[in-house]
């Protein structure tokens, strides 16, 4: 099974790029993040031979799964907390996660909170969100974390599980172009990386570690892509299936109208 993850950074702006990618990439499942649209606004890709599921509430966040190997048991709640900047009011769940059974693998498309700054409440939210994800992977689901569960019933994770998306964390210092640039900033802190370690302790293995010396994200600012100043923050974690090859479609970061992220493609033996 070939699974790709791609922070598309506005799917309506880049619908043609998604269609072209599906045509040439031969992926079985494509997970998208930052679709930046509501469910009604999400483009219809079913004419490409893929079923689709999308979760979007506003013109920001938003996640989707496109699958040609089946799409069942769609859910958007694994027990994650919600967030609202106007604390301490009720924290509503954001459109950052969607999961479905594709073939016989449970696949989640995830847009992990950015964290903003270490002293920002969003950083604590990020850590709690990732803790809930690790709990879910372990089968230790706590209900009632979110003030708005979108009507979902939280069911245990399947044995074959794949968690993919924009994690907004660089697993190693080598995964950023200049570690000193991130001193005192998010994405590289020990607490964030401990959350990735918690996923591994829950039985998940980082499939994207097969990718060496390649970034997945380059900021639009300061000509980061042209200078080779990127980060490896788009990741895939799996259990019950084995990664056999991995690559970054770097060409998708080129040209006019590209997302600031590139697709990350993993082949699995299921």
């Amino acid at each position: 099974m070939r699974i790709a993850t791609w922070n598309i950074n506005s799917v309506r702006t880049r619908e043609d790029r998604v269609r072209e990618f599906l045509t040439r990439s031969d992926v079985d499942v494509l997970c998208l993040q930052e679709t930046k649209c509501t469910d009604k606004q999400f483009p219809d890709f079913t004419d490409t031979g893929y079923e689709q599921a999308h979760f979007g509430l506003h013109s920001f966040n938003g996640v989707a799964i496109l699958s040609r190997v089946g799409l069942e048991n769609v859910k958007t709640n694994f027990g994650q907390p919600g967030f609202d900047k106007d604390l301490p009011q009720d924290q509503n769940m954001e459109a950052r996660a969607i999961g479905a059974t594709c073939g016989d693998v449970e696949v989640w498309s995830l847009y992990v909170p950015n964290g903003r700054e270490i002293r920002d409440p969003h950083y604590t939210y990020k850590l709690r969100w990732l803790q809930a994800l690790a709990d879910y992977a372990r089968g230790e689901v706590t209900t009632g974390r979110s003030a708005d569960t979108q009507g979902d019933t939280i069911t245990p994770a399947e044995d074959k599980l794949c968690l993919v998306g924009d994690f907004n964390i660089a697993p190693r210092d080598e995964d950023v172009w200049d570690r000193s640039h991130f001193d005192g900033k998010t994405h590289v802190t020990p607490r964030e990386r401990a959350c990735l370690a918690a996923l591994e302790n829950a039985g998940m293995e980082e499939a994207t570690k097969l990718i060496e010396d390649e970034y997945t994200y380059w900021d639009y600012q300061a000509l980061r892509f042209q200078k080779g100043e990127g980060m490896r923050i788009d990741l895939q974690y799996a259990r019950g299936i084995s990664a056999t090859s991995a690559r970054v479609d770097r060409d998708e970061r080129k040209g006019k109208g590209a997302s600031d992220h590139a697709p990350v493609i993993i082949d699995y033996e299921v």
Side-chain angles (χ1 to χ4, degrees):
M1 180 181 288
R2 178 170 290 174
I3 300 177
T5 182
W6 189 6
N7 181 319
I8 194 64
N9 193 9
S10 181
V11 69
R12 289 180 293 169
T13 302
R14 300 181 172 88
E15 178 179 349
D16 289 344
R17 279 185 175 260
V18 173
R19 290 181 173 276
E20 292 168 4
F21 177 78
L22 290 172
T23 298
R24 74 171 187 276
S25 64
D26 196 33
V27 295
D28 295 303
V29 180
L30 172 61
C31 295
L32 299 173
Q33 301 87 41
E34 268 202 287
T35 58
K36 295 185 175 180
C37 65
T38 65
D39 292 345
K40 289 183 179 180
Q41 294 170 327
F42 188 74
D44 184 358
F45 293 105
T46 56
D47 61 306
T48 63
Y50 288 79
E51 297 178 77
Q52 65 184 50
H54 177 261
F55 180 30
L57 299 173
H58 311 286
S59 59
F60 45 89
N61 300 328
V63 283
I65 299 176
L66 308 181
S67 172
R68 67 179 184 185
V69 292
L71 190 66
E72 301 176 342
N73 306 320
V74 176
K75 46 192 174 181
T76 59
N77 186 13
F78 56 78
Q80 70 268 38
F83 180 79
D84 193 294
K85 63 180 180 180
D86 297 320
L87 298 172
Q89 71 179 44
D90 288 344
Q91 304 295 287
N92 292 328
M93 189 170 72
E94 298 183 303
R96 292 183 175 274
I98 189 168
T101 303
C102 304
D104 62 348
V105 180
E106 181 180 346
V107 181
W108 282 84
S109 178
L110 305 169
Y111 180 40
V112 176
N114 177 280
R116 300 176 184 169
E117 297 179 358
I118 295 174
R119 293 177 179 82
D120 194 290
H122 208 260
Y123 179 74
T124 302
Y125 165 54
K126 179 180 189 176
L127 300 178
R128 292 179 60 235
W129 201 96
L130 287 162
Q131 178 186 353
L133 184 64
D135 289 347
Y136 178 76
R138 277 194 301 269
E140 300 174 3
V141 177
T142 301
T143 59
R145 290 176 186 253
S146 173
D148 181 6
T149 63
Q150 305 298 320
D152 283 352
T153 299
I154 305 175
T155 55
E158 297 179 16
D159 292 336
K160 295 179 181 177
L161 179 64
C162 199
L163 307 175
V164 314
D166 178 357
F167 277 74
N168 274 312
I169 302 172
R172 311 167 305 161
D173 287 350
E174 295 86 349
D175 295 322
V176 297
W177 82 90
D178 181 357
R179 177 61 182 81
S180 64
H181 177 81
F182 294 88
D183 287 347
K185 299 178 182 178
T186 62
H187 289 56
V188 298
T189 65
R191 295 184 70 185
E192 290 168 297
R193 289 175 173 173
C195 290
L196 297 183
L199 287 175
E200 295 182 343
N201 290 337
M204 309 299 298
E205 182 174 1
E206 190 206 334
T208 34
K209 67 184 179 183
L210 294 175
I211 300 170
E212 297 182 355
D213 301 323
E214 185 64 276
Y215 301 131
T216 66
Y217 164 79
W218 301 259
D219 197 317
Y220 289 130
Q221 305 298 319
L223 297 175
R224 296 291 187 205
F225 183 69
Q226 291 81 355
K227 295 177 181 177
E229 297 176 348
M231 305 172 67
R232 190 175 74 89
I233 58 176
D234 300 270
L235 311 173
Q236 297 197 25
Y237 284 84
R239 73 161 181 237
I241 57 177
S242 300
T244 58
S245 65
R247 66 184 179 91
V248 178
D249 188 350
R250 194 173 183 275
D251 288 341
E252 269 299 343
R253 182 58 179 82
K254 299 177 181 178
K256 184 178 180 180
S259 170
D260 45 1
H261 294 250
V264 179
I265 305 167
I266 308 287
D267 285 330
Y268 292 97
E269 176 106 10
V270 179

